[in-house]
Amino acid sequence: MENREDLNSILPYLPLVIRSSSLYWPPRVVEALKAMSEGPSHSQVDSGEVLRQAIFDMRRSLSFSTLEPSASNGYAFLFDELIDEKESKRWFDEIIPALASLLLQFPSLLEVHFQNADNIVSGIKTGLRLLNSQQAGIVFLSQELIGALLACSFFCLFPDDNRGAKHLPVINFDHLFASLYISYSQSQESKIRCIMHYFERFCSCVPIGIVSFERKITAAPDADFWSKSDVSLCAFKVHSFGLIEDQPDNALEVDFANKYLGGGSLSRGCVQEEIRFMINPELIAGMLFLPRMDDNEAIEIVGAERFSCYTGYASSFRFAGEYIDKKAMDPFKRRRTRIVAIDALCTPKMRHFKDICLLREINKALCGFLNCSKAWEHQNIFMDEGDNEIQLVRNGRDSGLLRTETTASHRTPLNDVEMNREKPANNLIRDFYVEGVDNEDHEDDGVATGNWGCGVFGGDPELKATIQWLAASQTRRPFISYYTFGVEALRNLDQVTSDTLLNFTILEPLLQCLLFLH
């Protein structure tokens, strides 16, 4: 275990220690967790006030810094004042002991994870590790291990002093509870209730699926690449009502992300990304090991289960009870829910029309929407011809993708033999490279999106709709399902896109119109 590169990269960000090839909790933490696992009669943890002290003591045993008083007070406020006595008693009698038992298993769960990590996909690393910026790769985690990771977050047991240097988002729940105490709102309470419901469901029946987290990277094609594109525009479906997460197809679902994955999920944020992380809490696990995204990066998460229903948005967000996720599983036991996090520019509206901003946004969407199965089955999307020169490949017989991790220069397109499925020469590591994994039809693997970066980030809805359409078309997605959320500026979007499809059958003329809009 000590010699594993993946374990050594993530170990500084975990609360465990390694001795004689095994992972351990420090003895005092084991003692506290064992007491809690046996219920309040042994641990005396029967109120928010006592839970607050237990968290303080465990962090002190780990030599971590003391939590802010407002965070500790948040736990007491929730369990002793906000929720009713019956619910609070259930948590201290059943849920807290179950989470403590889960944490006692955490070292062994992690050891099993690393033992299996080298056997999931031949020739590809899938173990838990720090996936640094410009380091393409994929991590597979069991839902049970994710539950243990989130239990660590609940008890604030992750070391936090070293995360900023690596540009990692917060992972402990202290800011979430501090915000509840400092400035109470129903929306903040509802965020925590989503997390509580997740733990209640988990403790009643441990889920057995898998979730994968992938950092995707492209080499950012230039304007010349886009101007020479001869790819046909995909279908454009406009939805004036409805939500991305409720889309009926197997489309890629866009997370309007912050460059720090999760954004304000674990603090006061409560817009599109944060809401998605609350109703699919397993997404939070990616915040442990995925540093902020660069301009040419996206993060794709496959298999996260949805646990909660909700109503409202931002200050009107409310937890609305249980959600039963009926999505089918793929051969890796991942739910067929694909979520891609892409962060938009945060700039004044007119700046979005500058060439450099247009190019950045379309390349960001391109990275997020890239579908390896389409590149495999159809003609090339683009090729890296060495020295970062990107050009279109129009030969439908050759199969290749943008590569950023290979050291070899290829002056001719790779053929099917050279692009061995078990050891792909590109940076996009997906299940499509494994025989038999993705043999079903791809007619419904479009993109479900909406007004990406058009809220506080100041984006123009019409411009962002066009940019995403171009990127989806270039990546051979069959359609975009665009959810307007009732934005007035997009009331005629359905007619405009229909007219565009009648007049422009390829990207280049539409792109030229876009470039001259400003």
Side-chain angles (χ1 to χ4, degrees), residues 298-311:
I299 293 169
E300 185 167 330
I301 303 171
V302 182
E305 183 175 354
R306 180 175 171 184
F307 289 85
S308 296
C309 294
Y310 74 96
T311 60

Side-chain angles (χ1 to χ4, degrees), residues 150-419:
L150 296 190
C152 280
S153 293
F154 176 81
F155 288 110
C156 300
L157 296 180
F158 287 114
D160 39 25
D161 293 342
N162 58 350
R163 296 182 62 81
K166 281 289 187 178
H167 306 293
L168 286 161
V170 299
I171 186 63
N172 289 321
F173 287 178
D174 52 324
H175 294 289
L176 189 67
F177 281 90
S179 298
L180 181 72
Y181 179 77
I182 293 170
S183 181
Y184 171 80
S185 67
Q186 284 186 279
S187 59
Q188 191 73 2
E189 180 184 346
S190 289
K191 286 175 63 179
I192 293 176
R193 284 193 173 275
C194 287
I195 300 292
M196 292 175 67
H197 178 68
Y198 161 75
F199 283 129
E200 290 165 4
R201 283 269 301 276
F202 185 97
C203 293
S204 67
C205 183
V206 177
I208 58 172
I210 299 292
V211 183
S212 66
F213 301 79
E214 179 188 358
R215 183 180 288 274
K216 302 163 61 175
I217 304 171
T218 66
D222 60 17
D224 186 59
F225 165 87
W226 287 99
S227 68
K228 292 178 181 177
S229 175
D230 61 0
V231 176
S232 297
L233 290 167
C234 68
F236 198 103
K237 307 174 183 180
V238 179
H239 304 271
S240 300
F241 303 97
L243 300 167
I244 292 170
E245 59 267 25
D246 294 330
Q247 56 90 21
D249 305 309
N250 285 326
L252 180 70
E253 299 172 7
V254 178
D255 164 18
F256 306 161
N258 189 287
K259 64 183 177 181
Y260 288 91
L261 183 67
S265 298
L266 300 185
S267 55
R268 292 201 60 79
C270 198
V271 288
Q272 196 256 11
E273 179 173 38
E274 290 85 359
I275 289 172
R276 194 66 199 264
F277 274 58
M278 294 300 103
I279 64 174
N280 294 67
E282 291 163 336
L283 298 171
I284 296 169
M287 298 168 69
L288 172 65
F289 58 90
L290 287 161
R292 73 181 181 194
M293 288 180 277
D294 283 346
D295 285 346
N296 65 329
E297 296 182 324
I299 293 169
E300 185 167 330
I301 303 171
V302 182
E305 183 175 354
R306 180 175 171 184
F307 289 85
S308 296
C309 294
Y310 74 96
T311 60
Y313 189 81
S315 62
S316 65
F317 173 75
R318 300 291 183 271
F319 169 68
E322 181 171 71
Y323 181 91
I324 303 300
D325 195 331
K326 297 181 180 179
K327 282 287 184 73
M329 298 261 193
D330 71 10
F332 283 123
K333 296 186 179 179
R334 301 178 301 178
R335 277 180 170 73
R336 293 189 182 276
T337 299
R338 295 181 178 272
I339 299 170
V340 66
I342 52 174
D343 57 302
L345 286 173
C346 183
T347 60
K349 281 195 174 181
M350 291 312 296
R351 238 195 108 206
H352 281 278
F353 289 90
K354 290 184 178 293
D355 290 354
I356 190 172
C357 295
L358 290 172
L359 192 59
R360 189 271 185 195
E361 297 295 75
I362 198 169
N363 284 336
K364 173 65 74 167
L366 179 80
C367 181
F369 299 169
L370 266 175
N371 183 336
C372 290
S373 64
K374 289 297 180 184
W376 187 272
E377 296 168 358
H378 304 299
Q379 65 178 345
N380 290 359
I381 296 174
F382 38 61
M383 289 288 294
D384 180 356
E385 291 292 316
D387 301 324
N388 292 323
E389 180 186 351
I390 309 299
Q391 65 180 27
L392 289 173
V393 176
R394 293 180 173 83
N395 183 349
R397 293 178 55 83
D398 294 320
S399 181
L401 289 172
L402 183 67
R403 300 180 306 285
T404 60
E405 285 202 319
T406 179
T407 58
S409 288
H410 297 274
R411 294 296 170 182
T412 56
L414 297 174
N415 57 38
D416 289 349
V417 175
E418 289 171 306
M419 284 204 59

Side-chain angles (χ1 to χ4, degrees), residues 57-107:
D57 291 341
M58 285 192 291
R59 284 183 60 86
R60 185 171 56 186
S61 298
L62 291 162
S63 300
F64 294 167
S65 59
T66 304
L67 294 179
E68 290 293 325
S70 56
S72 298
N73 290 335
Y75 286 89
F77 180 49
L78 175 73
F79 288 106
D80 298 344
E81 297 185 40
L82 281 182
I83 66 177
D84 63 48
E85 185 177 346
K86 182 179 179 181
E87 186 179 6
S88 180
K89 188 175 188 306
R90 183 197 171 199
W91 260 77
F92 292 111
D93 287 351
E94 300 175 21
I95 309 302
I96 295 295
L99 294 181
S101 295
L102 178 63
L103 285 179
L104 288 170
Q105 299 174 51
F106 180 37

